[in-house]
């Protein structure tokens, strides 16, 4: 890799307040030298390391001198000056490793302008740490909330590149986020395993799939595993229609039914409530059921008397090694980010659109959610083969 000798012999982690830095080299002009910061923020997913590797390799193979500072545990590291200088070794052997070598945390965007318990102005602190390290840019890997803070830092004058991470695939401006297909694989396998036991026992099985407020993960895992009913937040369900689908299967000789239910699935009645009423209703439901799947299970049981079982794979969906698709996607996005940095082009998310990596201005995509539209091709195709969406 193209690190200079100085960095290759850095053995010690440089962690702590910026003023404690043990190394500081003068910024050089031109493309020969870059000094970048990296951070991963929000919930983790499978290809974070692979993406950072793509960025760093894309730079180190094209310039003589590269300094990489990793901020620990998301924006927390940037706020409190907790970082370490990374060497080539840090990026070796991490293509297949899940999680993030930098650690991550959730730092809500809405609290970024609120001083911390000691009165620290977080935005000012982040800017100061960026400038003290004399960074050329900060590469931020994260989902929607992370992206909003990335855009805020851009507005504050920092050079920012955002890379779209999430198993939810809900980032506007990119067809695909890294992490999504790895999670689809895991959720699909979970439903596959349920299939054999469901058919032996003639039961109704519900598998609850992550995805926050959107249904991409449930939709894809549901189709991939042959689920009979798929419930997603974008298509509020009518429980009688769900029961109708189960009974129709019974009449056709299938004693079991498998439902893939998104953690954000919502009934038709609840979807009609105003914001305040819905919040209250959700709080009441939370006292009765651990999650939406248990509510759906109770409603089906009450109407059919059938035995229902609920499985929640939960955070396993974010775990383990990235699948090959995500390794390719994250390498491409990371490499494209490196290209932008080499050209001194900042203020963008790097997305995938129609199979091509594209720069998307942060001001255009920040704060927007990519949801499944009820008339999406995937939904139409699934309905045509008899999958019920409970609508
Ligand atoms: O955004 C990724 C995600 O896994 C969502 O699908 C899920 O709703 C949420 O994070 C879970 O968050 P946490 O890890 O904080 O429980």
């Amino acid at each position: 890799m193209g690190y200079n000798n100085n960095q290759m012999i850095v053995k010690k982690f440089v962690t702590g307040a910026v003023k404690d830095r043990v190394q500081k080299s003068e910024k050089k002009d031109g493309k020969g030298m870059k000094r970048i910061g990296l951070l991963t923020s929000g919930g983790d997913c499978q290809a974070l390391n692979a993406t950072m590797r793509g960025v760093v390799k894309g730079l180190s193979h094209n310039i003589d001198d590269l300094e990489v500072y990793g901020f620990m545990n998301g924006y927390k590291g940037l706020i409190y000056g907790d970082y370490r200088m990374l060497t080539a070794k840090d990026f070796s052997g991490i293509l297949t490793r899940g999680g993030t070598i930098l650690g991550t945390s959730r730092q809500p965007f809405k609290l970024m302008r609120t001083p911390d318990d000691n009165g620290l102005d977080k935005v000012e602190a982040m800017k100061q740490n960026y400038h003290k390290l004399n960074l050329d840019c900060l590469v931020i890997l994260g989902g929607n909330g992370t992206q909003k803070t990335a855009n805020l830092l851009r507005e504050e004058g920092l050079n920012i590149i955002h890379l779209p991470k999430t198993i939810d695939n809900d980032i506007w401006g990119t067809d695909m986020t890294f992490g999504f297909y790895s999670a689809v694989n895991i959720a699909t396998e979970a439903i596959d395993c349920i299939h054999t036991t469901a058919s032996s026992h003639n039961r109704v099985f519900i598998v609850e799939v992550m995805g926050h407020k959107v249904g991409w993960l449930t939709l894809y895992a549901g189709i991939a595993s042959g689920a009979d009913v798929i419930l997603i937040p974008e298509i509020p369900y009518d429980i009688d229609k769900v029961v109708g689908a189960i009974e129709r299967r019974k009449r056709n000789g299938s004693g079991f039914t498998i439902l893939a239910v998104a953690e954000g699935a919502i009934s038709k009645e609840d979807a009609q409530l105003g914001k305040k009423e819905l919040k209250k209703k959700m709080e009441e439901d939370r006292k009765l059921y651990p999650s939406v799947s248990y509510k759906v299970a109770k409603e089906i049981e009450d109407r059919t008397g059938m035995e229902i079982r609920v499985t929640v794979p939960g955070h396993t969906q974010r775990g383990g090694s990235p699948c090959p698709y995500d390794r390719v996607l994250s390498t491409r996005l990371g490499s494209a980010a490196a290209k932008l940095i080499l050209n001194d082009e900042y203020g963008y998310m790097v997305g995938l659109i129609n199979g091509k990596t594209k720069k998307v201005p942060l001001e255009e995509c920040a704060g927007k959610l990519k949801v499944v539209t009820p008339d999406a091709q995937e939904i139409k195709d699934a309905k045509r083969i008899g999958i019920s969406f409970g609508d």
Side-chain angles (χ1 to χ4, degrees):
M1 290 174 88
Y3 286 85
N4 66 18
N5 288 338
N6 230 6
Q7 282 130 25
M8 288 303 284
I9 56 160
V10 172
K11 296 251 166 58
K12 204 165 129 190
F13 290 165
V14 188
T15 310
V18 170
K19 61 180 166 54
D20 295 333
R21 271 184 73 212
V22 296
Q23 287 227 343
K24 183 172 167 96
S25 49
E26 286 310 306
K27 193 167 179 174
K28 294 177 200 160
D29 289 333
K31 284 186 181 170
M33 198 270 168
K34 290 284 178 210
R35 187 179 290 136
I36 69 160
L38 277 178
L39 70 83
T40 55
S41 172
D44 73 339
C45 71
Q46 289 89 346
L48 284 161
N49 292 325
T51 309
M52 291 192 276
R53 170 184 174 271
V55 176
V56 171
K57 280 186 178 267
L59 289 171
S60 63
H61 281 280
N62 291 286
I63 51 176
D64 304 326
D65 198 358
L66 173 68
E67 276 184 26
V68 181
Y69 293 89
F71 292 95
M72 308 308 293
N73 304 313
Y75 286 115
K76 217 188 240 176
L78 183 61
I79 296 168
Y80 298 105
D82 183 8
Y83 65 90
R84 65 182 172 100
M85 185 185 262
L86 301 167
T87 69
K89 217 173 152 203
D90 289 297
F91 296 95
S92 173
I94 64 167
L95 173 65
T96 59
R97 201 195 303 169
T100 159
I101 57 168
L102 296 180
T104 185
S105 66
R106 291 197 186 275
Q107 301 292 314
F109 168 72
K110 62 178 180 205
L111 296 180
M112 278 300 177
R113 292 280 186 198
T114 309
D116 78 356
D117 292 346
N118 298 315
L120 180 80
D121 181 329
K122 293 174 208 153
V123 176
E124 274 314 306
M126 288 194 279
K127 283 163 65 181
Q128 268 182 31
N129 284 325
Y130 174 99
H131 290 304
K132 276 184 193 164
L133 281 170
N134 210 3
L135 296 177
D136 290 297
C137 84
L138 184 60
V139 181
I140 298 173
L141 288 71
N144 279 307
T146 299
Q147 189 190 57
K148 284 196 257 182
T149 301
N151 189 43
L152 182 156
L153 294 174
R154 177 195 67 79
E155 285 166 353
E156 290 288 328
L158 306 192
N159 290 334
I160 302 291
I161 300 285
H162 171 244
L163 289 161
K165 156 251 70 156
T166 173
I167 63 166
D168 305 337
N169 194 27
D170 59 353
I171 298 182
W172 191 92
T174 182
D175 294 342
M176 198 48 66
T177 59
F178 57 87
F180 175 68
Y181 267 114
S182 301
V184 169
N185 285 355
I186 295 169
T188 301
E189 268 178 33
I191 304 174
D192 284 351
C193 290
I194 291 296
H195 239 111
T196 51
T197 176
S199 55
S200 323
H201 285 276
N202 280 336
R203 286 171 172 163
V204 171
F205 267 87
I206 297 179
V207 181
E208 184 171 296
V209 180
M210 274 189 170
H212 201 219
K213 293 178 181 164
V214 303
W216 293 109
L217 189 50
T218 310
L219 178 61
Y220 274 69
I223 295 175
S225 59
D228 309 298
V229 178
I230 297 177
L231 304 184
I232 60 172
E234 295 89 338
I235 305 180
Y237 67 86
D238 173 342
I239 197 66
D240 292 324
K241 294 275 170 59
V242 174
V243 167
I246 295 169
E247 280 172 348
R248 204 162 38 250
R249 278 179 57 77
K250 261 210 244 170
R251 279 198 303 277
N252 292 337
S254 304
F256 75 96
T257 297
I258 293 185
L259 287 81
V261 174
E263 62 179 354
I266 184 166
S267 68
K268 277 212 157 103
E269 304 84 69
D270 288 356
Q272 273 158 15
L273 298 175
K275 223 177 167 184
K276 264 192 185 166
E277 287 169 295
L278 180 61
K279 198 172 167 227
K280 201 168 156 232
K281 178 77 195 317
M282 302 274 249
E283 278 164 13
E284 281 162 15
D285 281 354
R286 261 198 294 274
K287 285 181 206 153
L288 298 172
Y289 313 105
S291 63
V292 65
S293 293
Y294 292 89
K295 180 182 165 185
V296 173
K298 178 81 173 66
E299 289 171 337
I300 298 173
E301 198 172 21
D302 287 350
R303 284 166 173 77
T304 63
M306 287 181 82
E307 253 190 290
I308 325 278
R309 292 289 185 271
V310 174
T311 301
V312 183
H315 287 77
T316 61
Q317 292 162 95
R318 291 205 325 230
S321 186
C323 67
Y325 177 90
D326 273 339
R327 295 179 200 181
V328 175
L329 175 64
S330 55
T331 302
R332 290 185 66 197
L333 294 178
S335 170
K339 187 177 166 197
L340 290 183
I341 297 166
L342 291 169
N343 292 336
D344 290 317
E345 291 187 77
Y346 303 113
Y348 296 102
M349 169 184 79
V350 184
L352 187 81
I353 301 171
N354 294 328
K356 295 212 162 89
T357 56
K358 287 265 160 71
K359 56 179 188 187
V360 185
L362 273 172
E363 63 201 289
E364 247 176 53
C365 50
K368 293 184 190 160
L369 199 63
K370 186 182 71 184
V371 300
V372 179
T373 53
D375 63 348
Q377 182 92 59
E378 292 96 327
I379 303 279
K380 286 184 187 158
D381 294 338
K383 282 187 172 174
R384 198 176 305 116
I385 65 154
I387 296 175
S388 165
F389 286 82
D391 59 337

